[in-house]
Amino acid sequence: MINFQIQSDLSNIFNKAESGERLSFEDGIRLYESNDLLTIGKMADMVRKRKNGLKTYFTMNQHINPTNICRNSCLFCAFYRKDGEEGAYRMSLDTVRQKLEERIDEDIREVHIVGGLDDSLPYEYYLDVLRVVREVRPEVNIKAYTAVEIAYLAERSGKSWGAVLDDLMAVGLQAMPGGGAEIFSERVKRKLFMDKLSSEDWIHIHHLAHERGIRTNATMLYGHIESIEERVDHLVKLREGQDKSGGFLTFIPLAFHPENTKMHKLPQATGFDDLKNIAISRLMLDNFDHIKAYWVMLSTKIAQIALSFGADDIDGSVVEERIYHMAGADTAQMMTRKQLRNLISECGLEPVERDALYHIIQRDVA
Ligand code: SF4
């Protein structure tokens, strides 16, 4: 039962959210146009509590970015380098193994793998990375390769998207990250990430994964040149995609970090906009179970507040993050289990440790 009064012109949206009625495209626009952040946050918190109660998820995970060498040159990306350029790297399989073994004493439940589209690496390398993870950590969930990487591997190998997914599944793939979606707008794609997938192809690859039992995440990159109509359109397309397959686990709004990119003159998204995106995505994506406040991108301070604005997941320990840190993120490189639990408990919420597939991990000690 909700015990707060809606004083603003968002009351009819509140009524829909309260009764579980789906919000329309126009409702999404009105939410983005409103500056009544607290009301939007209250509505999103109501939906979050209806879906997940006080449960707030985190995971002990490790990120591995095997190569930052990429054939594409997306304008918003600070991570990629061209072969031979300063800062370019390509991990050998021994290095991948070493990175995993360095953390072997920690009870990590998810290994998250994404990287560049590196023309010098053979197709088999991408499979071998997963084989190495399986050898070193037979029990861990492997969440690897965005839809953009799947399409790239298909092009490189001459195989279909589905066949690439089958090959990856055979060596341990269980889940896919949500990257590469950016914003589902042809206008923005032409300007910022011309060589990437169309929205239809991105969603199609995720549907192919869902058909095979691979669960996936979805993202939206905001705070660059996109309009609010494009943001809402992105959310509506994801919602339609989820209606068809039900295979998306979590939605993660990702703020554009301009530092060290070709768009460094743009201002960084504000905390106000970060919270608004978390809250509006919770309200619009009625068929997604989880909304994540990715602390690496938001900062731990904003991520904590986001947990009362619709988010029910804060990601994980991470260990070594390159993509946002190369774009100027000044957050820590890792968090311990205790720190993650404290961050959540301090908000009056219940920390729940999960694996990549949202299986709950029971432990006797914090
Ligand atoms: S966003 Fe991905 S595809 Fe684009 S340049 Fe960066 S690593 Fe390459």
PDB file of all heavy atoms in Angstrom, residues 200-232:
ATOM      1  N   GLU A 200      17.481  -3.602 -34.841  1.00  0.00           N
ATOM      2  CA  GLU A 200      16.793  -4.868 -35.166  1.00  0.00           C
ATOM      3  C   GLU A 200      17.768  -6.041 -35.040  1.00  0.00           C
ATOM      4  O   GLU A 200      17.430  -7.098 -34.499  1.00  0.00           O
ATOM      5  CB  GLU A 200      16.231  -4.848 -36.595  1.00  0.00           C
ATOM      6  CG  GLU A 200      15.094  -3.865 -36.832  1.00  0.00           C
ATOM      7  CD  GLU A 200      15.565  -2.420 -36.975  1.00  0.00           C
ATOM      8  OE1 GLU A 200      16.786  -2.207 -37.223  1.00  0.00           O
ATOM      9  OE2 GLU A 200      14.729  -1.507 -36.826  1.00  0.00           O
ATOM     10  N   ASP A 201      18.997  -5.850 -35.548  1.00  0.00           N
ATOM     11  CA  ASP A 201      19.975  -6.945 -35.489  1.00  0.00           C
ATOM     12  C   ASP A 201      20.402  -7.222 -34.051  1.00  0.00           C
ATOM     13  O   ASP A 201      20.580  -8.382 -33.653  1.00  0.00           O
ATOM     14  CB  ASP A 201      21.206  -6.616 -36.356  1.00  0.00           C
ATOM     15  CG  ASP A 201      20.889  -6.714 -37.840  1.00  0.00           C
ATOM     16  OD1 ASP A 201      19.805  -7.233 -38.184  1.00  0.00           O
ATOM     17  OD2 ASP A 201      21.718  -6.265 -38.659  1.00  0.00           O
ATOM     18  N   TRP A 202      20.591  -6.146 -33.271  1.00  0.00           N
ATOM     19  CA  TRP A 202      20.987  -6.336 -31.861  1.00  0.00           C
ATOM     20  C   TRP A 202      19.922  -7.173 -31.138  1.00  0.00           C
ATOM     21  O   TRP A 202      20.234  -8.153 -30.460  1.00  0.00           O
ATOM     22  CB  TRP A 202      21.161  -4.966 -31.195  1.00  0.00           C
ATOM     23  CG  TRP A 202      21.737  -5.030 -29.810  1.00  0.00           C
ATOM     24  CD1 TRP A 202      23.051  -4.911 -29.450  1.00  0.00           C
ATOM     25  CD2 TRP A 202      21.012  -5.248 -28.576  1.00  0.00           C
ATOM     26  NE1 TRP A 202      23.184  -5.040 -28.084  1.00  0.00           N
ATOM     27  CE2 TRP A 202      21.955  -5.245 -27.531  1.00  0.00           C
ATOM     28  CE3 TRP A 202      19.672  -5.443 -28.265  1.00  0.00           C
ATOM     29  CZ2 TRP A 202      21.592  -5.424 -26.188  1.00  0.00           C
ATOM     30  CZ3 TRP A 202      19.310  -5.634 -26.933  1.00  0.00           C
ATOM     31  CH2 TRP A 202      20.262  -5.621 -25.916  1.00  0.00           C
ATOM     32  N   ILE A 203      18.662  -6.793 -31.335  1.00  0.00           N
ATOM     33  CA  ILE A 203      17.581  -7.517 -30.651  1.00  0.00           C
ATOM     34  C   ILE A 203      17.476  -8.944 -31.197  1.00  0.00           C
ATOM     35  O   ILE A 203      17.278  -9.894 -30.440  1.00  0.00           O
ATOM     36  CB  ILE A 203      16.244  -6.751 -30.782  1.00  0.00           C
ATOM     37  CG1 ILE A 203      16.305  -5.482 -29.917  1.00  0.00           C
ATOM     38  CG2 ILE A 203      15.049  -7.619 -30.363  1.00  0.00           C
ATOM     39  CD1 ILE A 203      15.111  -4.558 -30.011  1.00  0.00           C
ATOM     40  N   HIS A 204      17.665  -9.098 -32.501  1.00  0.00           N
ATOM     41  CA  HIS A 204      17.568 -10.436 -33.095  1.00  0.00           C
ATOM     42  C   HIS A 204      18.624 -11.379 -32.504  1.00  0.00           C
ATOM     43  O   HIS A 204      18.331 -12.536 -32.179  1.00  0.00           O
ATOM     44  CB  HIS A 204      17.696 -10.337 -34.612  1.00  0.00           C
ATOM     45  CG  HIS A 204      17.486 -11.650 -35.311  1.00  0.00           C
ATOM     46  ND1 HIS A 204      16.367 -12.428 -35.112  1.00  0.00           N
ATOM     47  CD2 HIS A 204      18.275 -12.353 -36.173  1.00  0.00           C
ATOM     48  CE1 HIS A 204      16.465 -13.538 -35.820  1.00  0.00           C
ATOM     49  NE2 HIS A 204      17.612 -13.521 -36.469  1.00  0.00           N
ATOM     50  N   ILE A 205      19.842 -10.895 -32.369  1.00  0.00           N
ATOM     51  CA  ILE A 205      20.904 -11.746 -31.788  1.00  0.00           C
ATOM     52  C   ILE A 205      20.544 -12.123 -30.350  1.00  0.00           C
ATOM     53  O   ILE A 205      20.721 -13.274 -29.922  1.00  0.00           O
ATOM     54  CB  ILE A 205      22.284 -11.047 -31.888  1.00  0.00           C
ATOM     55  CG1 ILE A 205      22.721 -11.028 -33.355  1.00  0.00           C
ATOM     56  CG2 ILE A 205      23.325 -11.742 -31.012  1.00  0.00           C
ATOM     57  CD1 ILE A 205      23.989 -10.265 -33.654  1.00  0.00           C
ATOM     58  N   HIS A 206      19.998 -11.169 -29.605  1.00  0.00           N
ATOM     59  CA  HIS A 206      19.580 -11.502 -28.232  1.00  0.00           C
ATOM     60  C   HIS A 206      18.455 -12.536 -28.243  1.00  0.00           C
ATOM     61  O   HIS A 206      18.438 -13.448 -27.415  1.00  0.00           O
ATOM     62  CB  HIS A 206      19.198 -10.236 -27.460  1.00  0.00           C
ATOM     63  CG  HIS A 206      20.421  -9.507 -26.955  1.00  0.00           C
ATOM     64  ND1 HIS A 206      20.832  -9.549 -25.637  1.00  0.00           N
ATOM     65  CD2 HIS A 206      21.354  -8.786 -27.626  1.00  0.00           C
ATOM     66  CE1 HIS A 206      21.958  -8.864 -25.519  1.00  0.00           C
ATOM     67  NE2 HIS A 206      22.293  -8.382 -26.705  1.00  0.00           N
ATOM     68  N   HIS A 207      17.552 -12.413 -29.192  1.00  0.00           N
ATOM     69  CA  HIS A 207      16.480 -13.415 -29.272  1.00  0.00           C
ATOM     70  C   HIS A 207      17.039 -14.792 -29.629  1.00  0.00           C
ATOM     71  O   HIS A 207      16.580 -15.810 -29.102  1.00  0.00           O
ATOM     72  CB  HIS A 207      15.417 -12.980 -30.284  1.00  0.00           C
ATOM     73  CG  HIS A 207      14.473 -11.948 -29.722  1.00  0.00           C
ATOM     74  ND1 HIS A 207      13.641 -11.192 -30.498  1.00  0.00           N
ATOM     75  CD2 HIS A 207      14.235 -11.556 -28.444  1.00  0.00           C
ATOM     76  CE1 HIS A 207      12.928 -10.383 -29.714  1.00  0.00           C
ATOM     77  NE2 HIS A 207      13.288 -10.583 -28.480  1.00  0.00           N
ATOM     78  N   LEU A 208      18.026 -14.831 -30.519  1.00  0.00           N
ATOM     79  CA  LEU A 208      18.655 -16.125 -30.842  1.00  0.00           C
ATOM     80  C   LEU A 208      19.299 -16.726 -29.594  1.00  0.00           C
ATOM     81  O   LEU A 208      19.232 -17.943 -29.363  1.00  0.00           O
ATOM     82  CB  LEU A 208      19.720 -15.944 -31.934  1.00  0.00           C
ATOM     83  CG  LEU A 208      19.206 -15.607 -33.334  1.00  0.00           C
ATOM     84  CD1 LEU A 208      20.373 -15.267 -34.259  1.00  0.00           C
ATOM     85  CD2 LEU A 208      18.414 -16.785 -33.911  1.00  0.00           C
ATOM     86  N   ALA A 209      19.914 -15.856 -28.786  1.00  0.00           N
ATOM     87  CA  ALA A 209      20.506 -16.335 -27.522  1.00  0.00           C
ATOM     88  C   ALA A 209      19.407 -16.862 -26.601  1.00  0.00           C
ATOM     89  O   ALA A 209      19.526 -17.955 -26.029  1.00  0.00           O
ATOM     90  CB  ALA A 209      21.289 -15.208 -26.856  1.00  0.00           C
ATOM     91  N   HIS A 210      18.323 -16.117 -26.485  1.00  0.00           N
ATOM     92  CA  HIS A 210      17.232 -16.535 -25.584  1.00  0.00           C
ATOM     93  C   HIS A 210      16.658 -17.888 -26.014  1.00  0.00           C
ATOM     94  O   HIS A 210      16.368 -18.739 -25.171  1.00  0.00           O
ATOM     95  CB  HIS A 210      16.116 -15.477 -25.567  1.00  0.00           C
ATOM     96  CG  HIS A 210      16.589 -14.135 -25.075  1.00  0.00           C
ATOM     97  ND1 HIS A 210      15.876 -12.966 -25.260  1.00  0.00           N
ATOM     98  CD2 HIS A 210      17.715 -13.767 -24.410  1.00  0.00           C
ATOM     99  CE1 HIS A 210      16.538 -11.959 -24.734  1.00  0.00           C
ATOM    100  NE2 HIS A 210      17.653 -12.415 -24.219  1.00  0.00           N
ATOM    101  N   GLU A 211      16.512 -18.067 -27.333  1.00  0.00           N
ATOM    102  CA  GLU A 211      15.985 -19.362 -27.830  1.00  0.00           C
ATOM    103  C   GLU A 211      16.846 -20.539 -27.374  1.00  0.00           C
ATOM    104  O   GLU A 211      16.364 -21.652 -27.213  1.00  0.00           O
ATOM    105  CB  GLU A 211      16.021 -19.380 -29.364  1.00  0.00           C
ATOM    106  CG  GLU A 211      14.839 -18.737 -30.037  1.00  0.00           C
ATOM    107  CD  GLU A 211      15.121 -18.531 -31.532  1.00  0.00           C
ATOM    108  OE1 GLU A 211      15.891 -19.316 -32.149  1.00  0.00           O
ATOM    109  OE2 GLU A 211      14.570 -17.565 -32.060  1.00  0.00           O
ATOM    110  N   ARG A 212      18.151 -20.251 -27.181  1.00  0.00           N
ATOM    111  CA  ARG A 212      19.082 -21.322 -26.784  1.00  0.00           C
ATOM    112  C   ARG A 212      19.218 -21.429 -25.265  1.00  0.00           C
ATOM    113  O   ARG A 212      20.051 -22.194 -24.765  1.00  0.00           O
ATOM    114  CB  ARG A 212      20.468 -21.028 -27.411  1.00  0.00           C
ATOM    115  CG  ARG A 212      20.473 -21.256 -28.894  1.00  0.00           C
ATOM    116  CD  ARG A 212      21.652 -20.574 -29.574  1.00  0.00           C
ATOM    117  NE  ARG A 212      21.739 -21.052 -30.948  1.00  0.00           N
ATOM    118  CZ  ARG A 212      20.901 -20.671 -31.936  1.00  0.00           C
ATOM    119  NH1 ARG A 212      19.930 -19.793 -31.664  1.00  0.00           N
ATOM    120  NH2 ARG A 212      21.038 -21.157 -33.150  1.00  0.00           N
ATOM    121  N   GLY A 213      18.486 -20.604 -24.540  1.00  0.00           N
ATOM    122  CA  GLY A 213      18.581 -20.651 -23.070  1.00  0.00           C
ATOM    123  C   GLY A 213      19.658 -19.770 -22.492  1.00  0.00           C
ATOM    124  O   GLY A 213      19.979 -19.850 -21.311  1.00  0.00           O
ATOM    125  N   ILE A 214      20.285 -18.946 -23.354  1.00  0.00           N
ATOM    126  CA  ILE A 214      21.287 -18.004 -22.857  1.00  0.00           C
ATOM    127  C   ILE A 214      20.538 -16.754 -22.389  1.00  0.00           C
ATOM    128  O   ILE A 214      19.808 -16.150 -23.179  1.00  0.00           O
ATOM    129  CB  ILE A 214      22.289 -17.609 -23.980  1.00  0.00           C
ATOM    130  CG1 ILE A 214      22.995 -18.847 -24.529  1.00  0.00           C
ATOM    131  CG2 ILE A 214      23.280 -16.562 -23.488  1.00  0.00           C
ATOM    132  CD1 ILE A 214      23.778 -18.588 -25.821  1.00  0.00           C
ATOM    133  N   ARG A 215      20.685 -16.393 -21.116  1.00  0.00           N
ATOM    134  CA  ARG A 215      20.030 -15.171 -20.631  1.00  0.00           C
ATOM    135  C   ARG A 215      20.934 -13.981 -20.920  1.00  0.00           C
ATOM    136  O   ARG A 215      22.157 -14.103 -20.925  1.00  0.00           O
ATOM    137  CB  ARG A 215      19.769 -15.270 -19.110  1.00  0.00           C
ATOM    138  CG  ARG A 215      18.936 -16.459 -18.695  1.00  0.00           C
ATOM    139  CD  ARG A 215      17.553 -16.469 -19.330  1.00  0.00           C
ATOM    140  NE  ARG A 215      16.735 -15.308 -19.000  1.00  0.00           N
ATOM    141  CZ  ARG A 215      15.943 -15.202 -17.930  1.00  0.00           C
ATOM    142  NH1 ARG A 215      15.889 -16.192 -17.053  1.00  0.00           N
ATOM    143  NH2 ARG A 215      15.206 -14.121 -17.734  1.00  0.00           N
ATOM    144  N   THR A 216      20.335 -12.839 -21.172  1.00  0.00           N
ATOM    145  CA  THR A 216      21.138 -11.674 -21.556  1.00  0.00           C
ATOM    146  C   THR A 216      20.669 -10.426 -20.810  1.00  0.00           C
ATOM    147  O   THR A 216      19.561 -10.366 -20.295  1.00  0.00           O
ATOM    148  CB  THR A 216      21.060 -11.411 -23.080  1.00  0.00           C
ATOM    149  OG1 THR A 216      19.763 -10.870 -23.390  1.00  0.00           O
ATOM    150  CG2 THR A 216      21.298 -12.657 -23.903  1.00  0.00           C
ATOM    151  N   ASN A 217      21.531  -9.426 -20.805  1.00  0.00           N
ATOM    152  CA  ASN A 217      21.192  -8.113 -20.252  1.00  0.00           C
ATOM    153  C   ASN A 217      20.979  -7.125 -21.397  1.00  0.00           C
ATOM    154  O   ASN A 217      21.271  -7.426 -22.564  1.00  0.00           O
ATOM    155  CB  ASN A 217      22.319  -7.614 -19.345  1.00  0.00           C
ATOM    156  CG  ASN A 217      22.421  -8.446 -18.079  1.00  0.00           C
ATOM    157  OD1 ASN A 217      21.464  -9.131 -17.702  1.00  0.00           O
ATOM    158  ND2 ASN A 217      23.563  -8.392 -17.427  1.00  0.00           N
ATOM    159  N   ALA A 218      20.475  -5.966 -21.038  1.00  0.00           N
ATOM    160  CA  ALA A 218      20.297  -4.902 -22.037  1.00  0.00           C
ATOM    161  C   ALA A 218      20.784  -3.591 -21.429  1.00  0.00           C
ATOM    162  O   ALA A 218      20.744  -3.414 -20.202  1.00  0.00           O
ATOM    163  CB  ALA A 218      18.823  -4.785 -22.422  1.00  0.00           C
ATOM    164  N   THR A 219      21.267  -2.710 -22.279  1.00  0.00           N
ATOM    165  CA  THR A 219      21.780  -1.417 -21.794  1.00  0.00           C
ATOM    166  C   THR A 219      21.207  -0.281 -22.641  1.00  0.00           C
ATOM    167  O   THR A 219      20.606  -0.512 -23.700  1.00  0.00           O
ATOM    168  CB  THR A 219      23.314  -1.351 -21.909  1.00  0.00           C
ATOM    169  OG1 THR A 219      23.674  -1.561 -23.284  1.00  0.00           O
ATOM    170  CG2 THR A 219      24.007  -2.374 -21.039  1.00  0.00           C
ATOM    171  N   MET A 220      21.420   0.936 -22.171  1.00  0.00           N
ATOM    172  CA  MET A 220      21.166   2.131 -22.995  1.00  0.00           C
ATOM    173  C   MET A 220      22.249   3.148 -22.633  1.00  0.00           C
ATOM    174  O   MET A 220      22.419   3.482 -21.457  1.00  0.00           O
ATOM    175  CB  MET A 220      19.780   2.723 -22.704  1.00  0.00           C
ATOM    176  CG  MET A 220      19.533   4.028 -23.463  1.00  0.00           C
ATOM    177  SD  MET A 220      17.857   4.687 -23.221  1.00  0.00           S
ATOM    178  CE  MET A 220      17.993   5.420 -21.590  1.00  0.00           C
ATOM    179  N   LEU A 221      22.959   3.625 -23.640  1.00  0.00           N
ATOM    180  CA  LEU A 221      23.972   4.660 -23.417  1.00  0.00           C
ATOM    181  C   LEU A 221      23.293   6.025 -23.559  1.00  0.00           C
ATOM    182  O   LEU A 221      22.765   6.351 -24.613  1.00  0.00           O
ATOM    183  CB  LEU A 221      25.086   4.517 -24.455  1.00  0.00           C
ATOM    184  CG  LEU A 221      26.290   5.434 -24.244  1.00  0.00           C
ATOM    185  CD1 LEU A 221      27.130   4.969 -23.055  1.00  0.00           C
ATOM    186  CD2 LEU A 221      27.172   5.479 -25.498  1.00  0.00           C
ATOM    187  N   TYR A 222      23.309   6.813 -22.487  1.00  0.00           N
ATOM    188  CA  TYR A 222      22.626   8.104 -22.512  1.00  0.00           C
ATOM    189  C   TYR A 222      23.603   9.227 -22.136  1.00  0.00           C
ATOM    190  O   TYR A 222      24.692   8.978 -21.623  1.00  0.00           O
ATOM    191  CB  TYR A 222      21.427   8.108 -21.541  1.00  0.00           C
ATOM    192  CG  TYR A 222      21.819   7.967 -20.089  1.00  0.00           C
ATOM    193  CD1 TYR A 222      22.110   9.084 -19.297  1.00  0.00           C
ATOM    194  CD2 TYR A 222      21.921   6.709 -19.501  1.00  0.00           C
ATOM    195  CE1 TYR A 222      22.482   8.953 -17.968  1.00  0.00           C
ATOM    196  CE2 TYR A 222      22.290   6.572 -18.172  1.00  0.00           C
ATOM    197  CZ  TYR A 222      22.574   7.695 -17.416  1.00  0.00           C
ATOM    198  OH  TYR A 222      22.947   7.564 -16.101  1.00  0.00           O
ATOM    199  N   GLY A 223      23.155  10.454 -22.422  1.00  0.00           N
ATOM    200  CA  GLY A 223      23.967  11.604 -22.010  1.00  0.00           C
ATOM    201  C   GLY A 223      24.952  12.050 -23.077  1.00  0.00           C
ATOM    202  O   GLY A 223      25.990  12.637 -22.770  1.00  0.00           O
ATOM    203  N   HIS A 224      24.637  11.799 -24.368  1.00  0.00           N
ATOM    204  CA  HIS A 224      25.510  12.290 -25.453  1.00  0.00           C
ATOM    205  C   HIS A 224      24.666  13.165 -26.370  1.00  0.00           C
ATOM    206  O   HIS A 224      24.362  14.304 -26.003  1.00  0.00           O
ATOM    207  CB  HIS A 224      26.215  11.132 -26.177  1.00  0.00           C
ATOM    208  CG  HIS A 224      25.343   9.940 -26.416  1.00  0.00           C
ATOM    209  ND1 HIS A 224      24.590   9.797 -27.545  1.00  0.00           N
ATOM    210  CD2 HIS A 224      25.062   8.860 -25.649  1.00  0.00           C
ATOM    211  CE1 HIS A 224      23.899   8.668 -27.475  1.00  0.00           C
ATOM    212  NE2 HIS A 224      24.161   8.078 -26.336  1.00  0.00           N
ATOM    213  N   ILE A 225      24.289  12.680 -27.538  1.00  0.00           N
ATOM    214  CA  ILE A 225      23.538  13.550 -28.461  1.00  0.00           C
ATOM    215  C   ILE A 225      22.120  13.035 -28.670  1.00  0.00           C
ATOM    216  O   ILE A 225      21.415  13.500 -29.556  1.00  0.00           O
ATOM    217  CB  ILE A 225      24.245  13.679 -29.828  1.00  0.00           C
ATOM    218  CG1 ILE A 225      24.339  12.292 -30.502  1.00  0.00           C
ATOM    219  CG2 ILE A 225      25.628  14.301 -29.685  1.00  0.00           C
ATOM    220  CD1 ILE A 225      24.665  12.381 -31.997  1.00  0.00           C
ATOM    221  N   GLU A 226      21.728  12.068 -27.868  1.00  0.00           N
ATOM    222  CA  GLU A 226      20.392  11.493 -28.069  1.00  0.00           C
ATOM    223  C   GLU A 226      19.304  12.416 -27.535  1.00  0.00           C
ATOM    224  O   GLU A 226      19.537  13.203 -26.620  1.00  0.00           O
ATOM    225  CB  GLU A 226      20.311  10.104 -27.402  1.00  0.00           C
ATOM    226  CG  GLU A 226      19.976  10.088 -25.928  1.00  0.00           C
ATOM    227  CD  GLU A 226      21.095  10.597 -25.029  1.00  0.00           C
ATOM    228  OE1 GLU A 226      22.176  10.981 -25.509  1.00  0.00           O
ATOM    229  OE2 GLU A 226      20.861  10.649 -23.804  1.00  0.00           O
ATOM    230  N   SER A 227      18.117  12.313 -28.102  1.00  0.00           N
ATOM    231  CA  SER A 227      16.979  13.107 -27.629  1.00  0.00           C
ATOM    232  C   SER A 227      16.176  12.275 -26.637  1.00  0.00           C
ATOM    233  O   SER A 227      16.350  11.044 -26.575  1.00  0.00           O
ATOM    234  CB  SER A 227      16.088  13.477 -28.822  1.00  0.00           C
ATOM    235  OG  SER A 227      15.522  12.292 -29.371  1.00  0.00           O
ATOM    236  N   ILE A 228      15.261  12.923 -25.933  1.00  0.00           N
ATOM    237  CA  ILE A 228      14.458  12.119 -24.995  1.00  0.00           C
ATOM    238  C   ILE A 228      13.525  11.185 -25.769  1.00  0.00           C
ATOM    239  O   ILE A 228      13.222  10.094 -25.305  1.00  0.00           O
ATOM    240  CB  ILE A 228      13.690  12.986 -23.961  1.00  0.00           C
ATOM    241  CG1 ILE A 228      12.753  13.960 -24.624  1.00  0.00           C
ATOM    242  CG2 ILE A 228      14.631  13.662 -23.008  1.00  0.00           C
ATOM    243  CD1 ILE A 228      11.869  14.684 -23.618  1.00  0.00           C
ATOM    244  N   GLU A 229      13.096  11.594 -26.968  1.00  0.00           N
ATOM    245  CA  GLU A 229      12.259  10.692 -27.782  1.00  0.00           C
ATOM    246  C   GLU A 229      13.046   9.419 -28.099  1.00  0.00           C
ATOM    247  O   GLU A 229      12.491   8.311 -28.086  1.00  0.00           O
ATOM    248  CB  GLU A 229      11.821  11.367 -29.091  1.00  0.00           C
ATOM    249  CG  GLU A 229      10.770  12.454 -28.937  1.00  0.00           C
ATOM    250  CD  GLU A 229      11.313  13.772 -28.416  1.00  0.00           C
ATOM    251  OE1 GLU A 229      12.571  13.915 -28.370  1.00  0.00           O
ATOM    252  OE2 GLU A 229      10.519  14.656 -28.052  1.00  0.00           O
ATOM    253  N   GLU A 230      14.335   9.588 -28.408  1.00  0.00           N
ATOM    254  CA  GLU A 230      15.158   8.405 -28.733  1.00  0.00           C
ATOM    255  C   GLU A 230      15.360   7.523 -27.501  1.00  0.00           C
ATOM    256  O   GLU A 230      15.405   6.300 -27.606  1.00  0.00           O
ATOM    257  CB  GLU A 230      16.491   8.852 -29.338  1.00  0.00           C
ATOM    258  CG  GLU A 230      16.300   9.340 -30.775  1.00  0.00           C
ATOM    259  CD  GLU A 230      17.438  10.197 -31.309  1.00  0.00           C
ATOM    260  OE1 GLU A 230      18.199  10.791 -30.510  1.00  0.00           O
ATOM    261  OE2 GLU A 230      17.562  10.318 -32.538  1.00  0.00           O
ATOM    262  N   ARG A 231      15.490   8.146 -26.332  1.00  0.00           N
ATOM    263  CA  ARG A 231      15.596   7.327 -25.105  1.00  0.00           C
ATOM    264  C   ARG A 231      14.321   6.500 -24.910  1.00  0.00           C
ATOM    265  O   ARG A 231      14.376   5.306 -24.625  1.00  0.00           O
ATOM    266  CB  ARG A 231      15.772   8.223 -23.873  1.00  0.00           C
ATOM    267  CG  ARG A 231      17.118   8.901 -23.771  1.00  0.00           C
ATOM    268  CD  ARG A 231      17.204   9.681 -22.460  1.00  0.00           C
ATOM    269  NE  ARG A 231      18.420  10.484 -22.397  1.00  0.00           N
ATOM    270  CZ  ARG A 231      18.768  11.223 -21.354  1.00  0.00           C
ATOM    271  NH1 ARG A 231      17.990  11.278 -20.286  1.00  0.00           N
ATOM    272  NH2 ARG A 231      19.891  11.920 -21.365  1.00  0.00           N
ATOM    273  N   VAL A 232      13.165   7.157 -25.041  1.00  0.00           N
ATOM    274  CA  VAL A 232      11.906   6.435 -24.788  1.00  0.00           C
ATOM    275  C   VAL A 232      11.708   5.358 -25.850  1.00  0.00           C
ATOM    276  O   VAL A 232      11.294   4.233 -25.540  1.00  0.00           O
ATOM    277  CB  VAL A 232      10.715   7.416 -24.742  1.00  0.00           C
ATOM    278  CG1 VAL A 232       9.407   6.651 -24.530  1.00  0.00           C
ATOM    279  CG2 VAL A 232      10.901   8.444 -23.638  1.00  0.00           C
TER     280      VAL A 232
END
